[in-house]
Amino acid sequence: MSPEDYVEREADLFCPVPNYNSLLADAEREETSLGDVFNRMAPLHDGYVLHSPSSDFAQMLAYLESVMPCGSLIVDAGCGTGLHLGYLAQKIRSHFIGYDSSENMIRYANERKSRLHLDNVEFHVNAHEDFPNATISEGSADCIYSLYSIPDFQKTVDIFSRLLRRRGKLIIDLYKNDVFEKEKILFDRGFEKIGDRRFPTRPPLAAFEKY
């Protein structure tokens, strides 16, 4: 199954959401916390992403598949509805853990897990600051990827560094703002940049290795 096949198959299950951005703006204005915003938007998330007119999503899946190691544990930090993980867990021999602070996002992720019969996947309602814990212990992860904005970048990178094994990979979106400051934070914590990938309409992803 190619990334394009996966996107096409999943897109058949969800209606397009052409006014997603205005609905998101309403949620951000009316809800009191980021978790409440994501809970409200969870039913619309996949329809918006899968019916986007660009091919970025399939290209992003292909890139993630190409750089992720086969190993004991891969972590999707801020997994949302498990849309990325639903493809990767079928293609890479590893155990996957996805976590998100939104209960509704995780509910939809578990529905995807059941529908796709993903026996190498588990989902948890957690925030970055909840780790390490019994679910993801210190030094246990071969790869962590986080594809959305991280509110407290320095604190979260410290957490990711604790969770990763030596030579573990971190794949992250750095490019919204303060790129050089973020790269310095990573370099200061023993990460070396090993590549990046640019896409037509979304910010690039950067891959780092922990030394």
Side-chain angles (χ1 to χ4, degrees):
M1 176 180 58
S2 70
E4 292 78 12
D5 291 336
Y6 173 76
V7 171
E8 182 177 357
R9 187 182 68 186
E10 291 293 300
D12 287 341
L13 303 175
F14 299 93
C15 296
V17 189
N19 59 336
Y20 181 88
N21 287 327
S22 64
L23 293 171
L24 176 59
D26 290 342
E28 289 175 336
R29 184 173 60 254
E30 296 167 7
E31 301 296 345
T32 57
S33 72
L34 195 59
D36 289 337
V37 171
F38 290 141
N39 279 331
R40 179 166 162 177
M41 300 305 294
L44 306 175
H45 176 270
D46 290 355
Y48 169 70
V49 173
L50 292 165
H51 290 281
S52 170
S54 78
S55 60
D56 284 12
F57 187 69
Q59 291 183 31
M60 185 164 49
L61 291 178
Y63 173 69
L64 290 170
E65 183 183 358
S66 72
V67 297
M68 279 187 180
C70 293
S72 61
L73 178 59
I74 295 175
V75 177
D76 185 339
C79 64
T81 61
L83 191 55
H84 304 86
L85 200 153
Y87 172 77
L88 296 167
Q90 297 181 74
K91 303 292 286 186
I92 298 172
R93 293 191 304 275
S94 187
H95 185 70
F96 287 80
I97 293 177
Y99 71 84
D100 198 281
S101 61
S102 165
E103 293 182 6
N104 271 358
M105 289 287 190
I106 294 299
R107 179 167 64 85
Y108 283 98
N110 277 315
E111 289 177 4
R112 173 167 281 112
K113 172 184 174 179
S114 297
R115 175 164 51 78
L116 297 178
H117 307 290
L118 302 176
D119 58 5
N120 59 333
V121 171
E122 56 184 281
F123 291 107
H124 298 272
V125 179
N126 282 114
H128 299 307
E129 57 268 23
D130 295 334
F131 298 101
N133 61 21
T135 302
I136 309 173
S137 60
E138 193 162 336
S140 65
D142 296 284
C143 179
I144 297 173
Y145 65 100
S146 183
L147 308 181
Y148 299 101
S149 178
I150 296 173
D152 189 335
F153 189 82
Q154 182 169 320
K155 179 180 178 181
T156 304
V157 167
D158 286 338
I159 293 167
F160 289 163
S161 181
R162 291 178 65 191
L163 298 180
L164 281 166
R165 302 177 188 273
R166 184 174 179 273
R167 306 300 294 269
K169 288 186 176 180
L170 176 63
I171 304 165
I172 198 166
D173 176 351
L174 292 179
Y175 293 86
K176 296 186 185 302
N177 48 51
D178 303 323
V179 176
F180 295 112
E181 180 182 341
K182 290 176 179 177
E183 287 189 336
K184 184 179 185 304
I185 289 170
L186 286 157
F187 297 151
D188 288 347
R189 282 151 182 79
F191 286 93
E192 180 177 330
K193 190 174 182 180
I194 57 175
D196 60 24
R197 173 67 185 273
R198 299 180 181 276
F199 303 94
T201 62
R202 63 152 286 138
L205 295 178
F208 295 83
E209 193 166 63
K210 177 186 173 182
Y211 283 90

